[in-house]
Amino acid sequence: MSTPPVPSLADALAELALRLDPAVSDTVLAVLHELVAASQAGHVCLPFAHRPERPALRASPLVCRPGGYAPLVLDEAGRLYLARHWYDEARLAERLAQLARDQWPVNEAALIPLLDALFPQTSPQPQPDRQKLAAALAARQRLLILSGGPGTGKTTTVVRLMAVLASLSSRPLVMAMAAPTGKAAARLSESVSAARDRLPVSDSVRRSLPATAQTLHRLIGLFPGAGRPRHHAGNPLPVDVLVIDEASMIDLSLMARTLDALPAHARLILLGDRDQLASVEAGAVLGDLCQRVAFRPETLAWLERVAGPLPALDATDTGRLTDAVMLLTHSHRFAAGSGIGEMARRVNEGDGAGVLDLLAHPPGDDIGWERALPLEVAWQAHAPYWAALAQGTDPAALAQALSRFMVLAAERREVAAFNRAIEARLEGDGHKRTDSDHYPGRPVMITENDYGVGLFNGDIGFVVQRPEGLRVAFADGPAWREIAPGRLPAHETVFAMTVHKSQGSEFDAVLLVLPETAGAQLDRALVYTALTRARRHFRVLGAPEVLRAAIETRPARFSGLADRLA
């Protein structure tokens, strides 16, 4: 007996619409299908202000005004939402605005020497220090949004910032750190632990800083099948300070639920890169929050008094997130004259012609075009991995070797085809059996959260040979834990990965493989994200006209969040 096909979300909602309103028009049903498709593409809403369907939507009992009760919401600006997206967006905007309004009195006599000790000047003449200014802001308000590109010191800043908060507090603070994926949480834990030991603070302050980060889902208790998270407005998190890294990857729904779980007294610090790819799910929250960066004149005067000279900052008293957003602009990773750093700047400016000119006349050997076939390039570039594998299956050595090089692509099917080609060559060399997915040295990436096994989307492990058979090793702090291959949740081979999956990772060298033609998924945020995964070398394989079209395509995610906060 054949299994009946599973209806799509759009079909299921259309069936519900027909039950709620048997006289629903074809126009409204068509709009419903369009809205669902837009949501699955990452949009929170669709603009209908000037579309001919708007009168039909206003007349339908399936559509309500903001605050009403119906499956769809059409606001005064003509934005059409699925009701849950409208409520998530409205709730999130109000919570963020409330956090941004709240300020606490600060003991300046204690704050100034703390900032000077944790952010010492290295030049004879005092220079503006955005990291120090961010820490000062966090000392007197409950919300800080810190955005910056790779190497701008976001993690360094937040470790010192937490030390400032702990030192100023009259009682021990409960601090927590989280990130949207297990991989990002592990990197945050590693970075904070390394930086914490070097802080010029007392042992008691150092001990009060969090040692590990966890996924946001685990933090708030949002598990598959649960009606709502364990922590919410009625049962808030037991924290005084919450730090969330890689905020660009967080979708609207998860961010709204996280803010719901924040206690009324707690501080929130969001870290991320506003220019990176937005979340896979609906919303581009960090980008919306960073659209307007401005400070009240009195705030600037206070910052100058406690933290020294100021850079050029917008001094206006507008917007509900005024004073809450700080941009870090100086990259410590890419030196002056760096091709990667200059290319990143031109990509973010949408200067496609400038990027092509830079690739044609690079300032050094860190950027350029790749002309050979991707499989041959990758096979040669993965030489350190094959060498590590020849020495045995030590997971730490394999992890270090894999971080030397990675192939990135825009679409899953391109990545899957590339990984299959690598494995076919391994089969030809006799290293992989044709009747098994697993083989010694196979790198795997987890693609769904499994709280029972303790593995999360984005975690990378390595198949290792043991006397009892094959096992898969995953980093667990400084150690490795091993599980049987049969216990793995959904996973895939990862000699290549999508640009989306690469967020939160860094590699010595990156090869970006472009599709044959430009498409909806290819824009400047994708190119920028791929580019900034590279520490030392970046190469592009594809047609120059495709790369230029991508860079000149601005990411578009329909949302009302930025307007709510304007």
Side-chain angles (χ1 to χ4, degrees), residues 125 187 208 216 228 272 332 341 343 413 419-420 508 521:
Q125 295 297 323
R187 285 196 63 225
S208 70
L216 270 178
R228 67 173 179 173
H332 302 276
M343 184 172 169
R413 65 173 181 269
N419 284 320
R420 283 196 299 269
D508 287 348
Q521 289 189 322

Side-chain angles (χ1 to χ4, degrees), residues 349-491:
E349 291 175 353
D351 184 5
V355 169
L356 296 187
D357 181 65
L358 187 68
L359 288 170
H361 308 93
D365 66 351
D366 60 339
I367 59 171
W369 290 101
E370 185 58 67
R371 308 296 179 184
L373 294 173
L375 182 60
E376 293 304 318
V377 174
W379 191 264
Q380 295 300 323
H382 273 307
Y385 194 80
W386 313 134
L389 188 55
Q391 300 299 316
T393 49
D394 171 29
L398 293 174
Q400 184 178 18
L402 192 69
S403 73
R404 300 278 294 277
F405 172 78
M406 183 54 62
V407 173
L408 301 180
E411 298 180 357
R412 289 177 59 88
R413 65 173 181 269
E414 295 170 334
V415 168
F418 184 87
N419 284 320
R420 283 196 299 269
I422 288 282
E423 292 189 324
R425 185 154 179 174
L426 290 171
E427 289 175 0
D429 291 347
H431 187 75
K432 177 185 181 297
R433 290 170 44 181
T434 58
D435 61 348
S436 175
D437 289 336
H438 296 292
Y439 50 90
R442 181 193 182 197
V444 298
M445 176 183 281
I446 302 302
T447 57
E448 67 177 26
N449 295 336
D450 188 322
Y451 292 89
V453 181
L455 293 174
F456 304 97
N457 185 19
D459 287 351
I460 292 179
F462 300 88
V463 178
V464 296
Q465 184 68 60
R466 295 292 182 254
E468 63 273 20
L470 295 177
R471 294 292 183 266
V472 189
F474 291 87
D476 187 9
W480 291 80
R481 69 184 181 99
E482 299 178 3
I483 65 172
R487 297 186 64 204
L488 288 180
H491 59 280

Side-chain angles (χ1 to χ4, degrees), residues 209-285:
L209 305 186
T212 59
Q214 57 187 310
T215 66
L216 270 178
H217 288 81
R218 179 177 285 276
L219 176 76
I220 66 174
L222 184 59
F223 301 113
R228 67 173 179 173
R230 181 175 64 251
H231 291 290
H232 46 79
N235 180 34
L237 290 162
V239 299
D240 299 306
V241 180
L242 176 59
V243 174
I244 302 176
D245 197 11
E246 296 291 354
S248 65
M249 300 169 64
I250 304 173
D251 62 87
L252 173 67
S253 176
L254 181 56
M255 188 68 85
R257 279 152 181 75
T258 302
L259 268 289
D260 282 345
L262 196 69
H265 70 281
R267 284 178 164 95
L268 175 66
I269 298 151
L270 299 178
L271 310 177
D273 186 345
R274 64 175 182 173
D275 296 314
Q276 275 192 196
L277 282 166
S279 61
V280 175
E281 304 296 331
V285 175

